Amino acid sequence: MNWDDYGTACRARGCLAMEVFACITSPAKEGPPAPELLAAHLAYQKDLEARGVLFLAGPLSDPSGAQMSGAGLIIYRAADIAAARQLAEADPMHASGQRTFTLQAWRLNEGAPIQGLRLSERSFDRL
């Protein structure tokens, strides 16, 4: 089924069908990134969060759930996949070649996101 047609069908069923973009990021080079590159990446993520563009981000475990895998997941709010790709490409980790990424559209149909949660600031505005 066509992606846009699927969104229309989801909305007809009463779902939100909000489109966001899932970026799976993986190491492209051996060893940890330079501290200044990590700092630049985190500053970029925090800026995206402040602008309302970063929905969620964080590392992924290995399949056992016990170890770091080196991969990460970043969810962007963007007008379309081309705009999301520009966000991913501008991430200092990707722009430097330290990490690579794949990008896919994701429809948010069900769930209850937590409003007021700011992960990078370790804060949560409780009701």
Side-chain angles (χ1 to χ4, degrees):
M1 175 182 271
N2 174 280
W3 184 249
D4 290 333
D5 292 343
Y6 177 71
T8 300
C10 290
R11 283 186 286 283
R13 290 195 312 265
C15 294
L16 179 62
M18 177 182 169
E19 186 177 55
V20 294
F21 301 90
C23 176
I24 305 288
T25 178
S26 302
K29 296 181 179 178
E30 290 291 322
E36 59 274 7
L37 184 56
L38 180 58
H41 162 73
L42 295 174
Y44 180 72
Q45 296 284 76
K46 194 167 184 174
D47 176 64
L48 294 181
E49 179 185 79
R51 292 176 18 213
V53 175
L54 180 66
F55 185 55
L56 293 168
L60 295 170
S61 75
D62 71 352
S64 75
Q67 300 291 321
M68 294 291 295
S69 71
L73 175 63
I74 304 167
I75 308 296
Y76 298 115
R77 288 185 181 124
D80 54 36
I81 201 160
R85 185 168 309 284
Q86 288 179 336
L87 294 169
E89 288 171 347
D91 185 312
M93 287 289 193
H94 301 144
S96 70
Q98 182 72 34
R99 300 181 71 82
T100 61
F101 69 91
T102 60
L103 191 66
Q104 291 179 265
W106 179 28
R107 288 224 186 267
L108 300 181
N109 287 344
E110 299 88 16
I114 301 170
Q115 297 300 313
L117 182 63
R118 300 240 185 264
L119 299 176
S120 68
E121 296 174 8
R122 298 183 351 174
S123 69
F124 178 53
D125 300 333
R126 290 185 168 80
L127 297 177

